[in-house]
Amino acid sequence: VKGIPSLFLTFLVTVVSCVFMTSDYEIIKNMILGFFRVENRDKIINTKRTITKGVSKLFKAYATIMLITFLEMFIGLSFMKLIGVYKGGYIAIIAFVTCIVDIIPVLGTGTVLIPWAVYSFITGNVGLGIGLVVMYAVVTVLRQIIEPKLVANQVGLPAIVTIAAMFLGARLFGAFGIILLPLTVIILKLMYDEGVIGNKALVEQENAKTDLAETGE
């Protein structure tokens, strides 16, 4: 309760700052670019564009994952209600809340389904408890399968690279590293594709020469 005024003030300042920054975007951009040489300005603009594109692609991937989780929860609860195991309502709301919680690395679907399943077992509703445990297992396994593939497909990365980035991110930076390190890899890949870092055109030319030489042999 004591933190509510501070939280409200932070929210208000953030909104007002965003409004002013948006209205003065061109002025701020030109002022920042003015600190750099002309030959470096294009790289800075491309870098900003690439980061925005990377975040957008990652957001699209996780939005798809949220939709899949919502459908899994909705179908699972609807099926349990159909066979008489689940007698409650608000299926769509529960599915929506669960998919929101699931996307947060620190939490996940287990935050909702495991306590609910334990409560069901304690109160004697064994059928619902078993159904929730099964649904948790299905959602978790499918999430582990589709997440690396969806994230990788957005930028043309091999799935193994995405999996490795998620694993290393979790080991190095904890739960938020699962998103942080893959996002970094995506941005670096896009920057390489855009020519901001490295020399993709030169590498492709060298590969083409190698392939031509091997074909001639």
Side-chain angles (χ1 to χ4, degrees):
V1 174
K2 291 181 179 179
I4 291 177
S6 176
L7 182 64
F8 176 75
L9 180 62
T10 302
F11 175 76
L12 183 63
V13 171
T14 302
V15 172
V16 173
S17 300
C18 289
V19 171
F20 283 120
M21 288 173 64
T22 303
S23 62
D24 296 331
Y25 174 74
E26 290 298 328
I27 297 175
I28 296 173
K29 183 184 75 172
N30 293 332
M31 182 179 66
I32 294 174
L33 291 177
F35 289 104
F36 299 93
R37 295 179 179 178
V38 177
E39 57 270 21
N40 293 328
R41 292 177 185 176
D42 288 338
K43 287 188 176 182
I44 295 170
I45 294 173
N46 288 336
T47 301
K48 177 259 181 185
R49 187 185 301 117
T50 301
I51 292 174
T52 303
K53 187 186 296 185
V55 173
S56 175
K57 286 179 178 292
L58 192 66
F59 177 80
K60 187 184 297 184
Y62 280 102
T64 305
I65 294 171
M66 289 175 62
L67 177 61
I68 293 172
T69 302
F70 174 84
L71 292 175
E72 290 169 347
M73 288 293 302
F74 186 83
I75 293 171
L77 289 175
S78 298
F79 177 74
M80 286 193 287
K81 188 174 181 65
L82 183 64
I83 63 177
V85 173
Y86 175 63
K87 297 180 173 60
Y90 307 105
I91 292 177
I93 296 176
I94 294 173
F96 179 74
V97 171
T98 305
C99 80
I100 294 294
V101 173
D102 179 55
I103 212 67
I104 302 174
V106 180
L107 303 178
T109 54
T111 306
V112 176
L113 295 181
I114 297 302
W116 190 6
V118 171
Y119 175 79
S120 299
F121 284 123
I122 293 174
T123 56
N125 196 346
V126 178
L128 178 59
I130 294 174
L132 292 172
V133 170
V134 171
M135 191 159 59
Y136 169 70
V138 171
V139 171
T140 302
V141 170
L142 287 178
R143 168 75 183 268
Q144 297 302 317
I145 293 173
I146 66 175
E147 183 175 1
K149 187 171 181 60
L150 280 174
V151 174
N153 286 344
Q154 287 296 322
V155 288
L157 281 171
I160 186 62
V161 175
T162 308
I163 295 173
M166 289 178 176
F167 176 77
L168 290 175
R171 298 291 293 178
L172 295 174
F173 306 108
F176 285 101
I178 298 175
I179 295 179
L180 180 63
L181 197 57
L183 176 60
T184 303
V185 173
I186 289 171
I187 291 174
L188 290 175
K189 170 65 166 56
L190 291 173
M191 290 176 70
Y192 175 74
D193 291 340
E194 296 287 337
V196 178
I197 58 175
N199 196 330
K200 183 180 179 181
L202 181 60
V203 172
E204 290 178 347
Q205 288 178 6
E206 293 296 331
N207 290 336
K209 289 179 181 178
T210 303
D211 292 339
L212 185 61
E214 292 177 352
T215 304
E217 293 176 359

